[in-house]
Amino acid sequence: MSLQVMSMEKSENQSPPQSRSQETHSDASGSTRPVLRVYLVEDSPHVRDLLLDFLNIPGEMQIVGDADTEAGAVAAILADPVDAVIVDLKLREGSGMAVIEKLRRADLNPQPKIIVFTNHPFPEIRKRAMQLGADYFFDKSADYDSMRTTLLGSRAQ
């Protein structure tokens, strides 16, 4: 797998979700599916840029916002719900575990899929994230392709 670093400069550490209007995509059979709207919670600018480039797939999946803090992520997602959230556990302020817990306690219908993407893939951390409500847990050092495949597969669910 080859990932290209996307050059992006941001003046703030949170970008708001793009409009909730549901973009759709027609597949080969002619059926229409909505584009998967994903929010990214990641404190590393380098990883965030890689994921923005790797996961924005025209007509399939779109990163609609990102934050590097717990408070910024929760506020943005509650204001404009998304289909899926990719969350790192270590953030600039707060924690990814708290993001998971707060989103699961929120009155979001439907609840977004929550994907943990971390450099800390230890069994006890995985267990805790899943107890709090994460749907999937991936290791940043090895699971980029698996995470993307899982996200795209979640569109059918």
Side-chain angles (χ1 to χ4, degrees):
M1 170 187 71
S2 157
L3 293 176
Q4 300 289 325
V5 176
M6 208 167 79
S7 171
M8 293 181 64
E9 290 189 28
K10 294 184 180 173
S11 58
E12 297 181 22
N13 293 323
Q14 174 187 346
S15 64
Q18 295 174 4
S19 169
R20 183 74 179 146
S21 64
Q22 198 61 269
E23 189 177 326
T24 59
H25 171 72
S26 296
D27 63 19
S29 69
S31 62
T32 303
R33 295 185 300 185
V35 172
L36 187 71
R37 299 177 73 250
V38 180
Y39 196 89
L40 180 59
V41 186
E42 172 62 57
D43 65 322
S44 165
H46 176 72
V47 173
R48 186 173 50 243
D49 288 349
L50 285 172
L51 290 172
L52 286 167
D53 190 38
F54 188 62
L55 296 175
N56 274 315
I57 303 170
E60 300 287 329
M61 181 167 36
Q62 181 180 14
I63 303 293
V64 297
D66 64 271
D68 63 356
T69 67
E70 172 189 326
V74 171
I77 295 164
L78 293 180
D80 190 13
V82 294
D83 303 310
V85 178
I86 300 170
V87 61
D88 186 12
L89 296 178
K90 282 190 74 178
L91 302 174
R92 189 172 57 81
E93 290 178 9
S95 76
M97 293 288 194
V99 170
I100 297 167
E101 187 172 24
K102 289 176 180 179
L103 291 178
R104 287 302 183 229
R105 288 184 177 173
D107 186 25
L108 295 173
N109 188 15
Q111 280 278 328
K113 294 290 184 191
I114 297 180
I115 297 94
V116 172
F117 197 55
T118 183
N119 282 321
H120 308 284
F122 307 111
E124 62 277 6
I125 294 174
R126 177 188 178 96
K127 180 179 178 183
R128 182 66 181 142
M130 301 306 268
Q131 287 172 337
L132 290 173
D135 295 293
Y136 305 99
F137 190 96
F138 294 102
D139 179 353
K140 279 185 190 176
S141 68
D143 294 333
Y144 277 81
D145 287 328
S146 297
M147 183 198 42
R148 181 168 66 173
T149 299
T150 298
L151 274 167
L152 288 170
S154 74
R155 288 176 46 185
Q157 298 174 0

